[in-house]
Amino acid sequence: MTNKPKGVLYIGVTGGIDDRIERHKAGKGSKFTKKYNLDKVVYIEEFQYVNDAIAREKQLKRWHRQWKINLIEQDNPKWDDLRPS
């Protein structure tokens, strides 16, 4: 999640993306997303197993900021909100 192109980035794991996004947008998600008004989903990866998702989250959190930006821009160069409808 982010608040604008190349803005603050938040990485998280959830078992229910629609509900999680709604909570973040309503200011009831994490303190971090509320503090920085993060309301746009700009990158999503899906996993069958939660352990794989958690491992990927930890990996991405260790990445340099520019690597994360490059990853987002590979599939979403305009930083469109990818919120599932």
Side-chain angles (χ1 to χ4, degrees), residues 13 47 49-60 62:
V13 172
F47 293 87
Y49 302 107
V50 69
N51 291 343
D52 293 338
I54 292 168
R56 179 64 167 160
E57 175 192 27
K58 289 178 180 181
Q59 177 188 44
L60 291 175
R62 289 190 304 266

Side-chain angles (χ1 to χ4, degrees), residues 21 40-44 75-76 79-85:
I21 292 168
K40 290 177 62 174
V41 177
V42 294
Y43 185 78
I44 298 171
D75 294 327
N76 190 2
W79 292 67
D80 294 326
D81 192 350
L82 303 176
R83 180 178 164 199
S85 45

